Amino acid sequence: MSNNTTAIATISVVGQLIGTLGPVAIDLALKIKALIEQNNLGSVDIKTVGDSTIAVDDAGMTEINQWLTEHGYDKLS
Amino acid sequence: MKKLQKLIVLLLLTVVLSFTACRHNTNVANPTTPFQQVLLWNKGLSEANQDLEKSVRALNSTVPPVIDTETTKNILTAQFKIFKADKALTKILEQGPEYSSGKAAEVNDLIKEINGSATNLVNTGTVGIKNPAKQQEISGYISAISGLGQTLVVGLQVAGVLK
């Protein structure tokens, strides 16, 4: 299967998803598409990708604990 | 709603399988490996979890709240578990495939934890949301997280980390 065939198949499936789920799927589909395009660029530095993922995880946990505290709940650890 | 969830899982598995079946790349000198793909999917899972977390908090902050406080707390608690397990998983994976294979049991446990929390969200995450459009929106994010979690398992098996 060539790169073009794969890309066409991917776009087709993503398009079906967008049509089914509406606006929220567009954001998710674009993120998945961006991941696919990064994949196609060649070598992926796993440490760089890993560190950026950990940053997202840390930010998410911080935001959740902030919400919990603001609403009178104990923080999670 | 289950039909839509199945569609998302099918989408993600289709994309993963299409890449594992056809690993040709425009950059012949540096072909992307299945293990590298796993790191990308893992990043996607974390970002989807963050998008959901922001949406849930936003829907709780409206007047009146679209998602009540108790439901918000339950969803965010499950998401915290996903973030926490994903952080521990990522710290292993970013050390490389050989290191990750040596930690296969721990990797397996962490993915089970992620997928367990995701399943919990699938089953209960939208229970307290009465607005059908917002319920579908939240359900979409949850399904993506669940689908990506299952994709990680497949990807790590293809990469030889999990048996």
Side-chain angles (χ1 to χ4, degrees):
Chain A
M1 188 185 296
S2 68
N3 270 344
N4 284 340
T5 305
T6 303
I8 290 169
T10 303
I11 291 169
S12 172
V13 178
V14 169
Q16 288 176 35
L17 175 63
I18 292 172
T20 305
L21 292 183
V24 68
I26 293 175
D27 288 341
L28 285 172
L30 288 173
K31 284 197 174 180
I32 293 172
K33 181 174 175 293
L35 285 171
I36 293 168
E37 287 172 349
Q38 182 175 0
N39 186 33
N40 280 334
L41 287 175
S43 183
V44 171
D45 186 284
I46 58 175
K47 188 66 165 65
T48 301
V49 174
D51 284 347
S52 67
T53 302
I54 288 170
V56 172
D57 291 332
D58 281 337
M61 286 189 279
T62 298
E63 288 162 358
I64 289 173
N65 272 336
Q66 185 176 348
W67 183 92
L68 289 170
T69 303
E70 288 171 357
H71 290 80
Y73 297 107
D74 292 334
K75 286 185 181 181
L76 296 170
S77 59
Chain B
M1 196 59 60
K2 288 210 184 300
K3 187 178 176 182
L4 299 179
Q5 292 167 0
K6 284 182 182 175
L7 179 62
I8 292 177
V9 172
L10 181 61
L11 159 71
L12 292 171
L13 287 176
T14 300
V15 175
V16 169
L17 289 173
S18 70
F19 275 102
T20 54
C22 311
R23 285 158 45 187
H24 296 295
N25 195 291
T26 53
N27 187 339
V28 179
N30 294 300
T32 305
T33 67
F35 188 81
Q36 289 170 324
Q37 291 164 11
V38 168
L39 268 292
L40 293 175
W41 290 118
N42 182 52
K43 184 177 180 184
L45 185 153
S46 189
E47 289 179 343
N49 198 30
Q50 187 181 45
D51 287 347
L52 171 61
E53 173 256 318
K54 290 181 186 299
S55 291
V56 167
R57 288 191 294 113
L59 291 173
N60 173 249
S61 69
T62 58
V63 180
V66 173
I67 304 179
D68 63 57
T69 300
E70 187 63 24
T71 301
T72 301
K73 172 182 170 282
N74 292 337
I75 294 173
L76 294 180
T77 298
Q79 290 196 271
F80 188 95
K81 291 177 183 175
I82 292 173
F83 278 130
K84 184 178 176 182
D86 188 72
K87 179 177 178 178
L89 173 68
T90 306
K91 283 191 167 185
I92 294 174
L93 295 181
E94 68 174 4
Q95 300 304 316
E98 287 79 23
Y99 181 86
S100 300
S101 293
K103 297 274 188 181
E106 193 172 344
V107 167
N108 197 42
D109 286 345
L110 288 167
I111 290 186
K112 277 187 180 176
E113 206 168 322
I114 291 169
N115 286 337
S117 293
T119 300
N120 187 26
L121 281 174
V122 168
N123 292 334
T124 63
T126 58
V127 168
I129 305 172
K130 294 178 175 54
N131 182 307
K134 295 304 177 185
Q135 190 180 71
Q136 185 178 16
E137 176 183 328
I138 298 301
S139 184
Y141 282 122
I142 291 174
S143 294
I145 294 167
S146 178
L148 284 164
Q150 294 172 49
T151 301
L152 283 185
V153 175
V154 175
L156 285 167
Q157 288 170 343
V158 172
V161 172
L162 296 179
K163 298 292 178 263

